[in-house]
Amino acid sequence: METVVKVKLISGENALKQVRKALGMTHREFAKTLGTYPKTIVRWENGETKPMFSVPQIKALQKAMREIGLDVTDLPDDL
């Protein structure tokens, strides 16, 4: 069984950007994982738009976050 190192999200910094970087993904890779466009990821990370996730996207995000020892409940409410 693979050991998962839990990533700690830093308050005040964009949580999705922290998750993407901890996963070692580019904007394109993260967008593919979540079923969206790279530009959408950039907009979310820059605070230009607020993320609105579909159920499949939430499930994909949850699966990816588990790889770094996190759960979607670890995300801030004001994401």
Side-chain angles (χ1 to χ4, degrees):
M1 183 175 200
E2 188 176 322
T3 304
V4 176
V5 177
K6 185 167 182 169
V7 171
K8 179 152 174 60
L9 296 176
I10 300 168
S11 180
E13 293 187 21
N14 185 283
L16 284 179
K17 185 174 186 175
Q18 291 179 69
V19 168
R20 178 182 62 77
K21 287 188 168 199
L23 289 166
M25 292 184 175
T26 64
H27 290 108
R28 182 179 305 273
E29 292 166 333
F30 198 49
K32 186 175 180 180
T33 297
L34 297 183
T36 192
Y37 299 100
K39 186 65 177 169
T40 300
I41 301 297
V42 171
R43 287 180 181 135
W44 290 346
E45 289 183 1
N46 290 338
E48 295 171 33
T49 59
K50 288 278 189 184
M52 296 290 287
F53 297 107
S54 66
V55 172
Q57 287 174 318
I58 293 169
K59 289 179 178 181
L61 181 59
Q62 175 67 33
K63 182 179 178 185
M65 289 180 70
R66 283 186 182 142
E67 293 178 22
I68 55 173
L70 293 174
D71 187 89
V72 292
T73 59
D74 293 320
L75 294 172
D77 290 340
D78 63 348
L79 183 66

